[in-house]
Amino acid sequence: MLKVALITPAGRGSHAGNRATATRWAGLLRELGCRVSIAGSEDAPGEWRVDGQAPDLVMALHAWRSHGAILACRQAFPAAALAVVLTGTDVYRFQHSHPETFHESLAAADVLIGLHDALEEDLPAGVLPRLHVVHQSALPLPPGAPRPGRRHFDVLVVGHLREEKDPLRAALAVRDLPMGSRLRIIQLGGAHDESWAKAAVEEMAANPRYRWLGDLPRWQVRQWMACARLMVISSRMEGGANVVSEACAAGLPVLASDIPGNRGLLGDDYAGYFPVADTAALGDLLRRAEAQPAFVEGLRRQVAARAPLFTPEAECEALARVLTACGLHA
């Protein structure tokens, strides 16, 4: 039985995307017949063993944040295959701000894992033969889930409040709407620091169309996805956000910033893109969505057509291909 160690910079109990990915992949790898452990990138190498034994495969999430663990794994487990999972900040920030660290992690890897289909635009050509895409999966909403109400045209923003997410862009886009508009922005996710929490609280005080509900449990997030008419993904950079997969699985139309991480999930021909940080363009799309049901329905058809990419079965098959690329078989 293959022994797989998943290493993530997000500690136990964290709601960060890296931790959620590691937890989901652990379950899928177990379905493939592997024995799996999850450990932190700050742990000692002994903590990366699987049931006390050296792993056959180490999967390290985040090339930059797990750089030290990646090099330590190569030394501690020289016979193990090593897969490095590339995040959005890896590709779109640290590749440029910390190129030596980034490229050292890539050079150590047998296999690279990306989470969307447009990574070849921004990675060196020499690493592409080792790159495998694993789309993050999501489950459809359950039968009997709540439906959107008529009083508000709710638009959902899901994700932690931090600079990369440009989290208040949707709130800014609805500040000056006419009284008759039913548009309302519902923001879910914890604040990265006190300055973001303060900014969200101040925006609520100044903007009656904006509500920040904080970090909610997953079941409540899914309830809001059922009640919303649209989702906004306004990120400046993304490595392949799972919330996009969740929206597609839920049949929830998306308005998304025009960045590779979104295009690599929604497709180049998706009709709901707006330029990064362009408040006016997002506002125009939101007003169009409220005024033109056919526009929203067209977006709904497009996300529904992408949903088969994001099933657990498809994600499991992609992980099996990674194992094969590493010369391993569960």
Side-chain angles (χ1 to χ4, degrees):
M1 184 178 290
L2 279 183
K3 300 177 290 296
V4 181
L6 285 163
I7 297 176
T8 171
R12 188 184 301 274
S14 169
H15 291 173
N18 286 337
R19 188 75 191 191
T21 300
T23 301
R24 192 178 61 257
W25 284 5
L28 294 173
L29 288 164
R30 289 181 183 118
E31 288 183 18
L32 289 171
C34 300
R35 291 159 58 191
V36 186
S37 68
I38 302 176
S41 56
E42 300 300 320
D43 293 342
E47 299 296 317
W48 302 332
R49 293 180 173 272
V50 182
D51 296 336
Q53 297 180 301
D56 301 300
L57 170 64
V58 175
M59 302 178 76
L61 287 85
H62 210 302
W64 184 76
R65 296 190 192 283
S66 295
H67 172 256
I70 289 166
L71 300 188
C73 279
R74 269 300 187 214
Q75 186 171 6
F77 311 116
L82 175 61
V84 172
V85 184
L86 301 175
T87 68
T89 50
D90 278 332
V91 177
Y92 305 111
R93 172 173 294 167
F94 297 121
Q95 176 177 197
H96 307 293
S97 65
H98 296 75
E100 184 175 344
T101 301
F102 175 80
H103 289 292
E104 198 169 28
S105 288
L106 268 59
D110 297 298
V111 166
L112 302 173
I113 299 175
L115 304 177
H116 70 81
D117 293 325
L119 282 165
E120 67 274 7
E121 297 177 20
D122 295 282
L123 288 176
V127 308
L128 297 182
R130 289 184 285 143
L131 178 65
H132 297 262
V133 173
V134 178
H135 295 121
Q136 299 191 86
S137 67
L139 297 174
L141 296 175
R147 297 188 59 79
R150 296 186 177 183
R151 181 179 179 187
H152 299 288
F153 191 102
D154 281 334
V155 177
L156 196 60
V157 181
V158 180
H160 296 302
L161 278 68
R162 54 190 178 97
E163 190 272 336
E164 294 88 351
K165 304 289 186 182
D166 195 16
L168 297 181
R169 189 62 50 193
L172 298 176
V174 299
R175 272 186 170 184
D176 299 318
L177 294 176
M179 286 290 293
S181 172
R182 296 180 297 131
L183 280 164
R184 183 174 68 165
I185 305 300
I186 305 296
Q187 178 114 38
L188 310 181
H192 180 66
D193 54 36
E194 283 302 316
S195 65
W196 277 113
K198 182 173 182 288
V201 170
E202 289 177 351
E203 183 64 26
M204 279 195 293
N207 184 352
R209 297 185 182 276
Y210 173 67
R211 294 177 64 193
W212 174 46
L213 303 184
D215 198 7
L216 299 183
R218 202 74 222 148
W219 67 269
Q220 285 186 287
V221 174
R222 285 171 61 79
Q223 278 199 329
W224 274 109
M225 291 182 76
C227 294
R229 296 178 185 271
L230 284 174
M231 177 179 284
V232 169
I233 310 292
S234 54
S235 302
R236 299 175 186 272
M237 61 181 71
E238 282 290 356
N242 195 204
V243 71
V244 175
S245 310
E246 292 176 318
C248 290
L252 178 61
V254 176
L255 300 179
S257 51
D258 190 1
I259 58 174
N262 288 334
R263 282 190 280 106
L265 295 179
L266 293 168
D268 289 334
D269 62 346
Y270 188 68
Y273 293 125
F274 61 92
V276 173
D278 192 329
T279 304
L282 175 56
D284 288 344
L285 285 176
L286 288 168
R287 287 190 293 274
R288 182 183 177 190
E290 184 180 19
Q292 300 178 18
F295 173 57
V296 177
E297 186 55 34
L299 296 180
R300 191 185 313 279
R301 287 195 297 269
Q302 285 191 289
V303 298
R306 304 295 286 182
L309 294 174
F310 309 123
T311 64
E313 293 79 12
E315 189 175 26
C316 195
E317 289 171 5
L319 288 171
R321 290 193 292 272
V322 169
L323 296 181
T324 300
C326 292
L328 303 170
H329 301 280

